Amino acid sequence: MSATGSRLLRPRLLGRATVNAVVAIFVLYTLLPVLWLVLAAAKSRDALFGSDLLSLSDFSFARNLTDLFAMDGGLYGRWYVNSLLYAVLGAAVGALVSVACGYAFDKYRFRHKEKLFGLVLAAVMVPQTVLALPLYLMASEAGLVNTFWAVFIPVLFNPFGVYLGRIFSQGYVPDEVLEAARIDGAGELTMYARVALRMLGPGLVTVFLFQLTAIWNNFFLPMVMLSDQDLYPVSLGLYAWNSSASVSPEYYPVVIMGSLLAVVPLILAFVLLQRFWRSGLTAGAVK
């Protein structure tokens, strides 16, 4: 290899090593808290506050798991079911609503369409915490405060999901296919349900995953709306237990174990649906 080629190769290798080092740092930054959570969930209370967190002694995973579901009369199990109802059912219905709205914005012409879509885009930039008080006042007027519906109904409408639904409709549903369905005599609802919705499958799954993550991690809205602990999701329930841990230290191990179990549904959802998710994220990249 000539001296010139060696000089050109050296910066390239140095740049690759720098990129790999940066990626490794970000991977460690992401995985170390997860590793700590797994190790801490398997430790007894004494070992948790000691310096031997990385040792294999004081292994109490099964006991912590049993204590978690026995604490306060099995309240954590109720919180977990509540979170599944809020997140899974809410994400499924919300994804259907968002994709249908995005499809309508893409395929139909109606008055002030672009202005209305501009309002949707503006709503994407509004923090959810800003909407909590208006939503509480509306729920109070409707008599829904401290009920399941006070948390469930607001999560069904997601402006970002509507935006994604329009993007997916543009990339996955050709106008020619819809015209052919109309020529065959299909109505608009039949055409959407039997033709367009099947093409929008990857987009539907992608919006579902975004909705699932947002609703599962939702904390502020349930805190504002709910006072009955039987209606709490996992996030709010663990916060309540963690607040009590300063007075009752026996809550610390169950809070950590509960936090570990709380991430399991999200991991399973992304693993099981990653094929559709990846294809949805690349919508429109190759046409």
Side-chain angles (χ1 to χ4, degrees), residues 262-277:
V263 303
V264 172
L266 296 181
I267 294 175
L268 289 178
F270 274 88
V271 169
L272 295 176
L273 301 175
Q274 62 177 332
R275 177 169 62 90
F276 301 98
W277 182 53

Side-chain angles (χ1 to χ4, degrees), residues 102-283:
Y103 171 84
F105 272 114
D106 176 42
K107 301 304 180 185
Y108 296 110
R109 296 180 180 178
F110 49 89
R111 193 176 181 183
H112 303 307
K113 181 178 78 169
E114 295 304 326
K115 293 181 181 179
L116 291 174
F117 191 69
L119 290 177
V120 172
L121 295 181
V124 173
M125 297 181 288
V126 178
Q128 294 300 312
T129 52
V130 175
L131 301 177
L133 181 57
L135 288 173
Y136 175 82
L137 295 177
M138 293 171 63
S140 178
E141 289 293 330
L144 297 177
V145 173
N146 200 31
T147 66
F148 170 83
W149 304 106
V151 177
F152 182 76
I153 293 177
V155 301
L156 299 181
F157 307 99
N158 181 12
F160 183 65
V162 176
Y163 166 76
L164 288 180
R166 183 173 185 177
I167 298 300
F168 287 125
S169 179
Q170 292 173 346
Y172 279 93
V173 185
D175 293 335
E176 295 80 5
V177 175
L178 300 182
E179 289 298 329
R182 290 191 180 99
I183 293 174
D184 290 339
E188 295 298 326
L189 290 178
T190 302
M191 182 174 59
Y192 173 72
R194 297 187 177 181
V195 179
L197 193 58
R198 295 183 180 182
M199 296 179 178
L200 290 169
L204 193 65
V205 173
T206 303
V207 176
F208 171 82
L209 287 174
F210 278 112
Q211 283 277 80
L212 179 70
T213 304
I215 299 172
W216 187 269
N217 295 324
N218 193 10
F219 169 77
F220 194 71
L221 181 65
M223 184 178 67
V224 171
M225 292 291 188
L226 303 177
S227 58
D228 185 0
Q229 287 195 350
D230 289 341
L231 297 174
Y232 281 5
V234 168
S235 58
L236 185 57
L238 290 177
Y239 171 79
W241 276 358
N242 189 59
S243 300
S244 302
S246 58
V247 179
S248 304
E250 65 270 11
Y251 280 104
Y252 278 118
V254 297
V255 167
I256 295 175
M257 176 60 74
S259 300
L260 178 62
L261 295 185
V263 303
V264 172
L266 296 181
I267 294 175
L268 289 178
F270 274 88
V271 169
L272 295 176
L273 301 175
Q274 62 177 332
R275 177 169 62 90
F276 301 98
W277 182 53
R278 287 200 303 264
S279 63
L281 288 180
T282 58

